[in-house]
Amino acid sequence: MILRLSQLFLRTLREDPVDAEVASHKLLVRAGYIRRAAPGIYTWLPLGLSVLRKVEEIIREEMAAIGAQEVHFPALLPREPYEATNRWTEYGEGLFRLQDRKGADYLLAPTHEEMFTLLVKDLYSSYKDLPLSLYQIQNKYRDEARPRAGLLRGREFIMKDSYSFDVDDAGLDASYAAHRAAYLRIFDRLGLEVIPVTATAGAMGGSKSEEFLHPTEVGEDTFVRSAGGYAANVEAVTTVVPADIDFSNAPAARVLDTPDTPTIDTLVAASNELAPRSDSDGGAWTAADTLKNVVLAVTLPTKERQIVVIGVPGDRAVDLKRVEANIGAFLPIAGEIGLEAANEEDLKKIPQLVKGYIGPGLSLDEPVLGLEGSSKLLFLVDPRIVSGTSWVTGANQDGKHVFGLVAGRDFAWDGVIECTEVRAGDEAPDGSGPLETARGIEMGHIFQLGRKYAEALDLKVLDQNGKQVVVTMGSYGVGVTRAVAALAESNNDERGLVWPRSVAPADVHVVAVGRGEEIFAAAEKLSAELNAAGLDVIYDDRPKVSPGVKFGDAELVGVPTILAVGRGLAEGVVEIKDRRTGDAENVAVEKAVDYVVNAVRQK
Ligand code: ATP
Ligand code: MG
């Protein structure tokens, strides 16, 4: 194919779009790949579509290689299947809901587990039909709270979503492993570095799950890794839990007057003054000796507000994203929740808790928090609060704290939750060394869903013994439009985009520089020959455009090889430039096609 710039529907821009913050967004708009249609919703122009199709093709090939078959669902779907799995509610405000003329509820699908499950139920009924993997490459709709960074977080975006169906757990393991390997090949072929990290399953339910994160500063996901090879999304990091401590000889707890100590810092200072501790007894008090009880308000998918108290060592901050990822197990209903610090009004309803001096109560006989204590609030603690640990914490009286309050002896809790910030230097849970933190973009996500969806929608098959068994499923997503953005984000310089060969909108960008007829004739002939050799060619044949503008556009558009036909033609040479390295070489006209073909083959 030859795209002629005199004809191509393209206007490059000199200025960054005002709403763009990240490089990929700025450059994809400036270089004429996409246009904004509405917040988080984009139109694809010819160059953009070319890149998008190449990304899709690589994905299709790798899906075919593991035996997955392509189907295509509507994006506009009825409410009922999503009602059956409760996701009509669970998705909360993230779902685009609409009605038809008769008033029936519809949605624009954010993901398609329900429909795939029903399709297989519709057509298959025996273990002999399984294993089965189906996929589609299709638009998804999510009313994201913060659409941002152009294609990176859109409200309409393209996802490749696949689903596996197996009769037993071993089958699911195999399907999951096949997808995992295919994903690594896809990202490798795209030229996109990814790190598979352990993830939480979140609203999807199910057990095992991994995300493929592309490391970059503009990413919204924080992940941690150790030198020893551990890698996990921050939400999924588990704390190294200390051993229980024998408390049979621990002194009794005592309440002390600690006026004006509503914060951890003031409390630590006052503790060292009022109740100094000898070195043999643990040394000076630090924030790590205090138990901080943070009152949070959860907005359930039903819009009800539920108060939860979280107890953490005073030297650690509560990480709301970690709380959100892990609190589901303790709530009465699954789904998207809101999470924030409790406000004055919330606190007024629980006078047992005295602001600045909140604690779980002085003894197990009269608990304030935990095990249906007088506050009747859910009380969850950080995993470091194990039986026998001793704490300085609020006494639920203004200006008073209790010292030596022993976990398991003096207070109890309703559950343990991963909820505090993960810090650089914390130990990896698998003992592979200290953690370092980094940022990344989630490019793909694979889940072992298990039987949740099959059960909700009654997908069963006859097994070998003629018994009905519930099918077990996996679900696997790749952000296709997000991949285009991530590739642009990680492949650019001050002059524009620098595509990897695998997805570049063309193999070579031919520029006719100057005015001479012979220059255009030679450029035309070379473009035709390159095209005949099987390459995709962009040919800048615009007659009255200056060399500076043509080169500027070529570098902005970012095709890996730029071939300039200009003054050198008189000596029988053209200039061939590698957009990535900037290296340029004069090559004899008759050798130019072979030279470019070789460069393309070498990648
Ligand atoms: P995120 O945490 O970034 O919101 P997610 O966990 O909600 O993503 P999944 O439901 O796992 O996303 O969707 C599978 C893939 O679809 C993601 O790994 C990501 O690459 C892509 N994706 C999800 N949401 C968006 C979006 N708003 N815009 C573009 N791509 C997206
Ligand atoms: Mg995800």
Side-chain angles (χ1 to χ4, degrees), residues 142 200 211 442 444-447:
R142 295 182 185 179
T200 49
E211 288 170 356
E442 181 188 320
H445 198 166
I446 57 179
F447 292 94

Side-chain angles (χ1 to χ4, degrees), residues 102-364:
K102 297 191 184 112
D105 284 325
Y106 281 79
L107 58 86
L108 294 175
T111 171
H112 278 79
E113 276 75 8
E114 285 80 355
M115 300 312 292
F116 276 83
T117 309
L118 289 173
L119 181 68
V120 174
K121 177 181 169 184
D122 198 11
L123 296 173
Y124 274 9
S125 56
S126 160
Y127 75 96
K128 291 183 200 148
D129 299 324
L130 306 183
L132 171 71
S133 283
L134 298 175
Y135 78 99
Q136 64 175 347
I137 294 180
Q138 204 244 18
N139 281 351
K140 298 280 185 269
Y141 297 85
R142 295 182 185 179
D143 196 1
E144 298 276 358
R146 283 171 298 277
R148 75 177 268 282
L151 301 175
L152 280 178
R153 181 172 298 286
R155 296 199 297 163
E156 176 187 87
F157 59 96
I158 300 175
M159 196 200 290
K160 184 289 297 177
D161 45 327
S162 20
Y163 305 84
S164 65
F165 301 85
D166 284 276
V167 261
D168 53 25
D169 295 352
L172 173 56
D173 281 341
S175 297
Y176 182 90
H179 270 89
R180 188 181 194 280
Y183 275 32
L184 291 174
R185 282 192 298 272
I186 287 168
F187 294 119
D188 183 49
R189 286 182 62 187
L190 288 176
L192 197 61
E193 182 197 357
V194 292
I195 302 173
V197 305
T198 308
T200 49
M204 284 289 202
S207 51
K208 192 172 175 179
S209 149
E210 284 165 285
E211 288 170 356
F212 295 76
L213 298 186
H214 173 58
T216 156
E217 274 309 305
V218 308
E220 287 179 85
D221 287 86
T222 308
F223 69 103
V224 295
R225 48 181 159 180
S226 73
Y230 175 82
N233 192 314
V234 159
E235 276 94 314
V237 175
T238 51
T239 305
V240 179
V241 181
D244 288 357
I245 298 168
D246 172 19
F247 55 70
S248 47
N249 295 320
R254 57 195 179 121
V255 174
L256 294 181
D257 279 318
T258 52
D260 300 324
T261 55
T263 65
I264 296 295
D265 285 348
T266 50
L267 172 61
V268 170
S271 305
N272 282 317
E273 207 164 287
L274 300 168
R277 211 164 50 164
S278 68
D279 281 346
S280 63
D281 205 20
W285 298 105
T286 69
D289 299 311
T290 69
L291 175 67
K292 176 167 68 178
N293 300 292
V294 179
V295 188
L296 299 177
V298 181
T299 310
L300 299 173
T302 53
K303 300 283 171 240
E304 265 167 285
R305 202 168 166 89
Q306 179 169 338
I307 304 300
V308 178
V309 182
I310 303 221
V312 303
D315 64 329
R316 296 255 165 191
V318 170
D319 178 338
L320 288 183
K321 274 184 127 178
R322 272 166 61 71
V323 175
E324 191 178 337
N326 297 307
I327 202 168
F330 303 102
L331 298 176
I333 167 173
E336 188 183 303
I337 56 162
L339 197 60
E340 60 188 346
N343 57 31
E344 293 295 332
E345 220 159 278
D346 295 320
L347 292 173
K348 264 191 216 141
K349 291 181 196 146
I350 22 173
Q352 301 93 318
L353 304 182
V354 178
K355 197 176 169 202
Y357 303 90
I358 297 172
L362 302 180
S363 83
L364 276 182

Side-chain angles (χ1 to χ4, degrees), residues 239-567:
T239 305
V240 179
V241 181
D244 288 357
I245 298 168
D246 172 19
F247 55 70
S248 47
N249 295 320
R254 57 195 179 121
V255 174
L256 294 181
D257 279 318
T258 52
D260 300 324
T261 55
T263 65
I264 296 295
D265 285 348
T266 50
L267 172 61
V268 170
S271 305
N272 282 317
E273 207 164 287
L274 300 168
R277 211 164 50 164
S278 68
D279 281 346
S280 63
D281 205 20
W285 298 105
T286 69
D289 299 311
T290 69
L291 175 67
K292 176 167 68 178
N293 300 292
V294 179
V295 188
L296 299 177
V298 181
T299 310
L300 299 173
T302 53
K303 300 283 171 240
E304 265 167 285
R305 202 168 166 89
Q306 179 169 338
I307 304 300
V308 178
V309 182
I310 303 221
V312 303
D315 64 329
R316 296 255 165 191
V318 170
D319 178 338
L320 288 183
K321 274 184 127 178
R322 272 166 61 71
V323 175
E324 191 178 337
N326 297 307
I327 202 168
F330 303 102
L331 298 176
I333 167 173
E336 188 183 303
I337 56 162
L339 197 60
E340 60 188 346
N343 57 31
E344 293 295 332
E345 220 159 278
D346 295 320
L347 292 173
K348 264 191 216 141
K349 291 181 196 146
I350 22 173
Q352 301 93 318
L353 304 182
V354 178
K355 197 176 169 202
Y357 303 90
I358 297 172
L362 302 180
S363 83
L364 276 182
D365 299 333
E366 282 177 78
V368 176
L369 292 170
L371 304 184
E372 295 278 303
S374 67
S375 66
K376 296 272 195 301
L377 299 177
L378 186 61
F379 181 46
L380 304 175
V381 299
D382 176 80
R384 292 174 188 84
I385 298 164
V386 295
S387 175
T389 49
S390 171
W391 303 94
V392 179
T393 191
N396 296 310
Q397 298 172 57
D398 199 39
K400 289 185 199 289
H401 280 92
V402 55
F403 286 66
L405 196 74
V406 172
R409 183 192 70 181
D410 304 325
F411 70 99
W413 44 91
D414 301 310
V416 175
I417 184 171
E418 292 291 350
C419 59
T420 51
E421 56 172 351
V422 178
R423 288 192 207 140
D426 285 351
E427 280 305 309
D430 64 355
S432 61
L435 297 173
E436 53 168 277
T437 63
R439 297 185 74 78
I441 306 174
E442 181 188 320
M443 304 310 311
H445 198 166
I446 57 179
F447 292 94
Q448 293 203 353
L449 290 177
R451 297 180 175 80
K452 176 176 163 179
Y453 289 86
E455 242 149 38
L457 297 163
D458 197 33
L459 168 60
K460 290 183 183 147
V461 292
L462 288 178
D463 73 3
Q464 262 161 316
N465 310 314
K467 247 183 50 201
Q468 292 272 352
V469 292
V470 178
V471 169
T472 182
M473 294 170 54
S475 124
Y476 317 88
V478 172
V480 180
T481 44
R482 185 178 280 186
V484 174
L487 282 163
E489 193 62 41
S490 296
N491 296 281
N492 66 68
D493 60 21
E494 64 290 347
R495 282 163 294 150
L497 294 160
V498 191
W499 294 107
R501 284 226 177 272
S502 53
V503 300
D507 297 304
V508 53
H509 188 127
V510 177
V511 187
V513 196
R515 287 166 186 274
E517 250 172 58
E518 66 292 350
I519 287 179
F520 282 85
E524 180 79 44
K525 183 159 176 271
L526 278 171
S527 297
E529 287 170 6
L530 288 162
N531 185 48
L535 303 190
D536 288 337
V537 181
I538 290 178
Y539 171 31
D540 194 344
D541 60 341
R542 291 174 294 179
K544 283 185 191 117
V545 175
S546 76
V549 168
K550 286 189 173 181
F551 281 122
D553 280 348
E555 301 206 300
L556 180 59
V557 164
V559 170
T561 301
I562 299 170
L563 188 159
V565 185
R567 228 179 283 148

Side-chain angles (χ1 to χ4, degrees), residues 572-587:
V573 296
V574 295
E575 188 194 66
I576 301 179
K577 189 167 172 183
D578 188 318
R579 173 72 183 89
R580 298 163 295 181
T581 60
D583 296 343
E585 231 177 291
N586 282 333
V587 178

